[in-house]
Amino acid sequence: MGTRSPESTLPGRRLSELVEQAARCTTDCCGASCMVSEGGPERPAAVTHPDLAALVSVQLRSGDGPIPAALERGEPVDSADLLREERWPAYRAMALDSGVRSSVTIPFRRSGLTVTLSLYSFRPGALEDAPHGPARALGDLAVTCLVRDRSYRAALTELDQLGAALRTRPVVDQACGIVMHVLGCDADAAFGVLRRVSQAT
């Protein structure tokens, strides 16, 4: 997860790596899902199995389930046995229909970014230790990488903007020189004239 390639800086790729590795290294885990929340409407997500996408979707639509609860509380939300669970009826019904008996959702927060990692099992009580195991370390690493990738993309955007500004600067300087010559004014006044003309046309 720590190597850098152009495609590794994409959130979807990081999330896919996270769910695959978290499911692999957690005992009795039959699948995993994760989602990124930055406060906006867009929420990139990844799942290890298509049935799990429906479980994430029902929670986002209803605003009810382990993911919304973990986002609200900021701590892991465990459902040791969904057969006996009384919370989240829509999520519970869909999970049981998919064969999922237990789940745990772990939130990770850094620099305005929140990632939730949900682990699922076919067995009740199988994921009680998951919030303290390798999945926790993988989640911490993934959210750190996502924050770093976001900073990297912001730096590249700023670099592009600065490059564009530097490329247009000689043209602006030439125009200032012409205005200074024609109007007999200093550089600040000439730049003010150019700015007014630019904003008006």
Side-chain angles (χ1 to χ4, degrees):
M1 293 180 84
T3 60
R4 178 169 295 287
S5 66
E7 60 275 358
S8 73
T9 61
L10 300 173
R13 173 124 181 183
R14 289 261 188 244
L15 298 178
S16 294
E17 291 172 348
L18 172 60
V19 294
E20 291 294 336
Q21 292 183 24
R24 224 177 283 143
C25 73
T26 304
T27 308
D28 291 324
C29 181
C30 66
S33 68
C34 67
M35 184 187 73
V36 176
S37 177
E38 291 185 80
E42 192 175 315
R43 292 184 173 186
V47 294
T48 56
H49 190 275
D51 286 351
L52 299 178
L55 285 178
V56 172
S57 238
V58 74
Q59 294 177 74
L60 296 180
R61 271 195 318 270
S62 67
D64 197 29
I67 293 173
L71 286 171
E72 184 181 317
R73 286 195 218 156
E75 59 188 40
V77 174
D78 187 10
S79 183
D81 189 354
L82 286 165
L83 200 58
R84 293 179 171 77
E85 184 66 67
E86 294 181 9
R87 303 172 289 179
W88 324 308
Y91 166 77
R92 178 182 174 265
M94 191 169 285
L96 289 172
D97 192 47
S98 301
V100 173
R101 281 290 298 274
S102 62
S103 70
V104 63
T105 299
I106 311 164
F108 303 89
R109 288 193 172 133
R110 279 209 205 23
S111 304
L113 186 78
T114 302
V115 175
T116 55
L117 172 63
S118 299
L119 303 169
Y120 308 92
S121 178
F122 294 135
R123 295 179 46 224
L127 301 170
E128 291 172 354
D129 296 330
H132 311 291
R136 163 70 66 183
L138 285 169
D140 281 331
L141 176 61
V143 76
T144 299
C145 289
L146 286 167
V147 168
R148 183 193 66 202
D149 291 346
R150 184 178 63 178
S151 298
Y152 178 70
R153 285 191 303 274
L156 286 178
T157 301
E158 186 177 354
L159 186 63
D160 286 345
Q161 291 169 347
L162 289 172
L166 284 174
R167 285 190 298 278
T168 59
R169 186 67 197 186
V171 175
V172 171
D173 288 343
Q174 288 172 359
C176 278
I178 293 169
V179 172
M180 288 167 61
H181 177 72
V182 170
L183 297 180
C185 61
D186 65 2
D188 289 337
F191 189 76
V193 168
L194 288 176
R195 185 172 43 233
R196 282 193 305 277
V197 170
S198 173
Q199 290 172 351
T201 62

